Amino acid sequence: MTTPRPTHLHRRSSSKWVPPSAPLHNPISIFRGRSNRETGSRVIRPNHLFESPRYELTNYRDFTDNQISTTKYTIWNFVPLNIWHQISTKYANLYFIFIAILNWVPFFDAYTRYVGLIPITFVLGTTLIKDGIEDYRRWKFDNQINEKTCHVWDRDRCAFRKTEWRYILVGDFVHISNDQDVPADIIMLRSSDESGTCYIETCNLDGETSLKQRMVPAKVIEYSKKDSAFKPSDFTGIVTCEKPDKSIYTIRAKIEYEPGKTDVIIKENMLLRGSRIKNTTFVEGIVVYAGHDTKVMLNNGRAPHKTSGIEKLTNKFIIACFLMLLIMVVYGAAASAVWVGDHPTNTEIPYVLSNTPQPFIEGFIGIGAFFINYQLLVPISLYITVEIIKALQIYFISNDIQLYDPKSDRAIDCRSLSIPEELGTVTHVLSDKTGTLTENMMIFRNCAFDETDYGSEGSKSNPDKPVRCEELYQRINNSMHNPVQKHFFANILLNNSVVVNTIPHTDLLELGNFEGGVYNIGNSCFYDVTEEKYRQKLASLGKEPTEDDLSRPDVLGIPTTIQFDDRLTVIVEEDTPSDSPVPELSPTSRDSPETATPTSPSILRPLSSLSSFSRKLSTVVRRSILRPISDIIPVRKRLISFKQQALNPYEAESPDELALIEGAALYNYVLLERAATSITISTPEKSEKRYELLLTLPFDATRKRMSVIVNSPKGPLMYCKGADSAIITRLTPQSADDNRVKALQSHLDDYAKKGLRTLCFAMKYIPQEEFDDFLHSYKFLMEDASTEREKMLSEKADELERNLKLSGVTGIEDRLQDGVPDTLCALRNAGIQVWVLTGDKLETAQNIATSSGLFHPQRPLKVIENEGDAEVASESAGLNIIMSPAAIRLAQDGNVHLMEALKKAKTVLCYRMTPSEKATIVNTVKKKIKGNVLAIGDGANDVPMIQAAHVGIGITGKEGLQAAMACDFAIARFKFLSRLLLVHGHWSYHRLANTFLYFLYKNANAVFIIFYYQFYNGTSGTNIVDPIWGVTYPIIFTSVQPVVVGVLDQDYDDETLMSNPERYVIGRENQKYTWKHFFIDVFDGIYQAAVIYYVAHLTLFASEVSLWEMGFYIATSSILVNSGHLALLVRYWHWRLVFLFFFFIFLNFAFFFTECLTSGALMIPDPPVWMPIHAMGDSRFWYCQIITVIVALCPRFTSMCLLSSLNAGTTKS
């Protein structure tokens, strides 16, 4: 028996705020100016200062909104733009349209005009549908992005309201919670941290998963104070910034709060679209760039049109065919005019149905007739067949079980259906590093602070986790008071940016509020929830809400991470028993409103139908904020999903630092707490030890070091860490003769040879007076607002970091993906030049290049930093080249010596690259080196180069799906690249090259049969074969066989191709599809056409057979010879293919029998009734077919046998 549902007063508009749209009569809704965006700097006033509707705001009119689109087309331009693209990239389509129009001109008396429309309509329509499906998938992903939500300040309600990203405007004040993505480029004005700082993850921007710190401008730091009563409506500042640009590392802007009171905005004040808030309950700020004006979108751009190299070369072949066609048409028209001129105009002219008074007119009519007759020379059937072949090739690639990753449960996703053959012609692979070659997983492996190396065997015992070295563990327990050891581990724990999480960050803004006598949550209002109930339930948490709870939603610490899902919009109207269990929301049924009761109080399960205070929920939920709030929500079932996530106590700006902290914890050196002015650690000898933090000198690329200064009994103590090149040169002069230092340097070299990321740790005591002077100068520079501020701070820190004493060294493994070294080796053996493009610093990139096997171990290494280095490198071949940012600029300028060096190089490593620079270097390799480029990456920062390359590969990794959505092929692991290229790429190239050449041959063969017949019919344009058969032959009788061959043929099996990467040279050097092959196949088609026609002609010479019977002879010979020609190309026979060959030969006979015995024959003059039976009853027919096949195929068969013997002899030798 169910408990009846009580009646509740409930009003629900939507779980998301949708701002009102502009009325249709409002011209702003149609014409939106872009004056400020075009002319230069923009002036932004907060939208909440204006009472007008959003669609009348200046910011709405002058700047783009936050909706993005990465599609190639819109719904309005899809059909015309796609057809234009097909015509501009495939020249034959323009010719086919011309022929289709010509067929409709009555003057030329064409009888195939309706049938002539079918091929071009099918070709354009098929490609239209295929491109539409591709673009629809992009549109769906864009919608997923545009429908993400965040909170935007609504001046009418004086509250933050959840809305979709697409409705955000420049000038909006937004509220972003922990672990949420930043929706636009925002100036940060407020943080839940009283110091005005927050942490962000920027892997979608620069590929780095490490955390970065951001801060509010100096003059608004009071907004973040605990006692601040700030509301967004209090902010009245005017933002002035430059027009949008691609640089993600620079910003030129300022905020004017009132005359004379301004803040200069630096990059540390900016939160860029695509970054994610971490380790911070919430941040708030004002939008300055939205949508396509944001830096990540300016770096990405729209998906480009890509055309394969085979198709581009085919366009040139089509032009050659068209020129050949023109010659044949001109000859035919001239010969027709001469034929008419040689006969009196008042008599019946042989082979001419209607007498033409003038030869010129007959020749002009002949032009149109011959264009129609010879139209097959430009093969329309080729495009129909190739589209089908590519689609089926993609299907089989998508279903290759060896490209499936069980760990992530992801198979390959072929997003482009147009360029599978490009996979077989790649000459250069340009790869991202982080997340593509590596796992983004740093593991503490080795350390040394004296003559002994500790932990060298750890990677063998457990390759996925740091392993405690028992020798070091015993050493620490036996000598806790060793000063060198103590300072080494103290340096590791103190000198970093690691943040210790004590509780998860829960933003109560997501949990609703009580205002004006109404409980509001998710834009729903509940009128029967009293304020007494609301406060009573909040009081059960031990805290009474205050007036600023809504402005500071982090006031309650909650032991569970609770995330309210957008599925709050789902309301199930069914009655629910008050004591019914709450079923589990499994991953496979997330759209279902049913959930199950948790079975363990330690595990949070999704909850729903929370209708009364008596409902029994899990212990964890009752102790959280969710139970009190949920209990006062009416019985109507709300689908709430949240999950308990494993609380990681540490978050770091650098994965190296996190690895060091985790490694130190193995030996009972633990970081407990990090505050603004102190750091607390635990050591084996003391459970809690607090250090007073005096100053932090942060890491920068110039110094390559980071230092912290703490207070000690002996005065200020500086701990410094950094790259060996940045530390060793700054040691005291006495260190050069110290045996301990020499031993540590030896260990350091050993770590580097293993491919580990190395760090040096040093220390020194600073006299108090010296430190006071330094601190005074350093603080003075920190207040400087000039563009030289960072440089001056770095130089000042450099003055203090001298005369150091080396404490120890560490080696950290950047975990490579499985199979990366083998894959890179296979690509090198295939003759593919591999480049790695990364935003990391040189040392990091070089270590990975060494450990991954990118650099050929037997090739010399050359670092190119200037033109002189390039000139030296150009004199050697097979180098492993490292290019600095300066060298990359030389490459972009096309430096001759550098281009020569790069062409000869074995592998190339480029470091400190921005996303747009990656795209630029891809274009440089394409245009200056003339390479066929494949780009592979896993983050949004890799999208520009993926789109710029001939083939773009995305890895569905930890950095989101942007790369996977923008690419042509998405794979789960880098190791799959070798099979994708060496097997599927090789097969696709082999199949399509043969298919293209076969169709060019076959169509030339068909056209020249008609051409030879013109010598014997007064060049009248009459066709020798059945007109219906002539049109349908290339698209029905001889199209399925090459489709099957083009999809399933294999010159080598997959095991052979994987074990012999050298065979990839066939496609890499384009050995099967060249001008030589084109002319050979076309001339072979011309030769075979002569054999087909003249054998039939001579067989029936001086006989009284009809024209249709001779056409039957030629039609049968054509399908037999064409099938035999294709059979010679096949390398992989199977019974299905044999069946198809015989089936279509039989279908050819069936067509003539059917046509001649039905009303189809009545459509043409002189119907050939019983013709096939009469012809096949004559032995001459069978002798003719045997002789034709043998003579036509003999040259090709003989040459193939000779070439096969020669190649076998070369291989054996």
Side-chain angles (χ1 to χ4, degrees), residues 311-476:
E311 287 188 346
K312 291 176 182 177
L313 189 55
T314 301
N315 283 335
K316 297 178 182 178
F317 293 166
I318 294 300
I319 293 175
C321 289
F322 184 72
L323 293 176
M324 193 184 305
L325 174 66
L326 284 179
I327 294 173
M328 295 168 66
V329 168
V330 171
Y331 165 78
S336 177
V338 171
W339 177 264
V340 172
D342 288 343
H343 293 78
T345 57
N346 57 352
T347 60
E348 184 177 331
I349 302 175
Y351 307 112
V352 178
L353 296 179
S354 58
N355 195 0
T356 306
Q358 296 182 9
F360 173 78
I361 296 177
E362 179 63 27
F364 180 75
I365 296 175
I367 291 176
F370 285 116
F371 260 119
I372 294 173
N373 279 335
Y374 299 153
Q375 62 179 293
L376 289 180
L377 189 60
V378 181
I380 191 169
S381 57
L382 170 65
Y383 290 100
I384 300 174
T385 306
V386 165
E387 292 295 334
I388 297 172
I389 289 175
K390 288 184 178 181
L392 291 175
Q393 283 182 348
I394 291 297
Y395 171 79
F396 284 110
I397 293 174
S398 301
N399 287 275
D400 186 350
I401 192 64
Q402 296 190 50
L403 297 179
Y404 168 76
D405 179 41
K407 197 175 201 178
S408 60
D409 191 27
R410 290 184 183 275
I412 183 173
D413 181 14
C414 302
R415 305 192 60 79
S416 174
L417 307 179
S418 305
I419 55 172
E421 68 273 27
E422 285 290 89
L423 294 170
T425 61
V426 172
T427 60
H428 295 73
V429 169
L430 276 65
S431 173
D432 175 45
K433 180 190 73 68
T434 307
T436 304
L437 300 180
T438 66
E439 293 274 16
N440 273 345
M441 184 189 302
M442 304 295 180
I443 304 173
F444 184 89
R445 288 299 182 203
N446 294 71
C447 70
F449 48 83
D450 53 21
E451 290 79 3
T452 307
D453 174 25
Y454 299 104
S456 57
E457 300 299 323
S459 58
K460 296 180 181 178
S461 58
N462 192 333
D464 297 323
K465 294 181 180 179
V467 177
R468 186 174 69 187
C469 174
E470 291 301 326
E471 182 183 359
L472 177 57
Y473 187 69
Q474 295 300 327
R475 160 91 186 257
I476 291 174

Side-chain angles (χ1 to χ4, degrees), residues 969-1013:
F969 302 89
I971 56 180
R973 312 289 289 177
F974 182 82
K975 66 180 180 181
F976 295 152
L977 184 63
S978 58
R979 181 173 178 84
L980 186 61
L981 297 186
L982 303 184
V983 177
H984 291 291
H986 176 87
W987 283 346
S988 296
Y989 170 79
H990 161 77
R991 294 161 176 169
L992 284 171
N994 283 342
T995 300
F996 273 93
L997 290 174
Y998 174 74
F999 272 90
L1000 291 170
Y1001 141 80
K1002 181 170 66 70
N1003 286 35
N1005 179 267
V1007 167
F1008 270 87
I1009 290 174
I1010 302 173
F1011 180 75
Y1012 291 137
Y1013 179 57

Side-chain angles (χ1 to χ4, degrees), residues 1041-1058:
Q1041 305 95 308
V1043 166
V1044 176
V1045 173
V1047 173
L1048 300 179
D1049 195 38
Q1050 301 175 11
D1051 54 344
Y1052 302 101
D1053 60 56
D1054 56 345
E1055 292 182 0
T1056 302
L1057 291 173
M1058 288 297 291

Side-chain angles (χ1 to χ4, degrees), residues 46 83 172 258 447 657-658 706 735 758 792 860 868 1051 1187:
I83 292 177
D172 276 342
E258 56 186 52
C447 70
E657 294 180 340
L658 198 57
M706 175 182 179
S735 298
T758 58
M792 290 188 294
D1051 54 344
I1187 294 171

